[in-house]
Amino acid sequence: MQKDEIRSCGPVVSLEDIRLRRYYIALANADEDWQQTRACFALEGITLSDDDAERAGRLIASDQALEQALQEVRSAHLVW
């Protein structure tokens, strides 16, 4: 590696993408229905991730269709 080279350690994510993700997570966490959903899952010993909160935030903001969100959940959690 040369003096002025930068070694890439992973995918590059734009600051705007990170801000948008944080916005959706904050939107979901402020929503009473999402809070109740998280509480119900917690009673069953299931912890929802920031990915789940981001998906919920996208649904709340109407930036994602329900069918698309369901497909993401299926893809993430079903083992073929």
Side-chain angles (χ1 to χ4, degrees):
M1 188 164 85
Q2 301 295 324
K3 179 181 175 185
D4 294 332
E5 280 186 77
I6 298 174
R7 181 178 292 170
S8 177
C9 296
V12 176
V13 181
S14 75
L15 185 56
E16 182 60 30
D17 289 342
I18 293 170
R19 286 181 178 147
L20 191 57
R21 176 178 164 82
R22 296 306 311 163
Y23 166 75
Y24 287 130
I25 292 169
L27 185 64
N29 288 333
D31 183 76
E32 185 177 342
D33 292 329
W34 177 247
Q35 292 172 10
Q36 291 178 3
T37 301
R38 284 182 42 215
C40 290
F41 273 76
L43 288 172
E44 297 296 324
I46 301 169
T47 303
L48 296 175
S49 68
D50 279 349
D51 291 338
D52 298 315
E54 179 185 5
R55 190 175 299 112
R58 287 181 186 278
L59 288 169
I60 293 165
S62 298
D63 288 347
Q64 184 175 33
L66 179 59
E67 188 56 42
Q68 182 183 2
L70 291 174
Q71 184 59 40
E72 285 181 15
V73 171
R74 287 183 190 114
S75 296
H77 297 287
L78 289 179
V79 178
W80 300 99

